[in-house]
Amino acid sequence: MQAGDRLSYQLQPNRYGWLQVARGAVNLNGHALQAGDGVAINEAELLKINTDSGAEILLFDFLA
């Protein structure tokens, strides 16, 4: 992600997610995350991700 980028991702029912911040910093639904942070997502929800400084992230979406 480049500085100022915003993206949204809808996690569907009966699916799980994992967001890993490989580099930089992001904000995920109001929570600040830094390089090395990972977040488990276990509910269907809209993920809103943005960065002010740029970041590299990995977003996994999988069936339980």
Side-chain angles (χ1 to χ4, degrees), residues 4 10 17-18 24 29 35 38 40-41 47-48 51 53-54 57-58 60:
Q10 180 66 49
W18 180 269
N29 292 358
I41 305 147
L47 306 178
K48 294 182 180 181
T51 179
S53 58
I57 62 170
L58 297 135
F60 300 91

Side-chain angles (χ1 to χ4, degrees), residues 44-55:
E45 66 176 288
L46 178 63
L47 306 178
K48 294 182 180 181
I49 306 163
N50 67 291
T51 179
D52 292 330
S53 58

Side-chain angles (χ1 to χ4, degrees), residues 19-58:
L19 178 77
Q20 184 71 44
V21 182
R23 197 172 37 183
V26 298
N27 185 297
L28 170 65
N29 292 358
H31 300 281
L33 302 171
Q34 304 283 331
D37 290 344
V39 177
I41 305 147
N42 61 5
E43 294 182 9
E45 66 176 288
L46 178 63
L47 306 178
K48 294 182 180 181
I49 306 163
N50 67 291
T51 179
D52 292 330
S53 58
E56 183 175 335
I57 62 170
L58 297 135

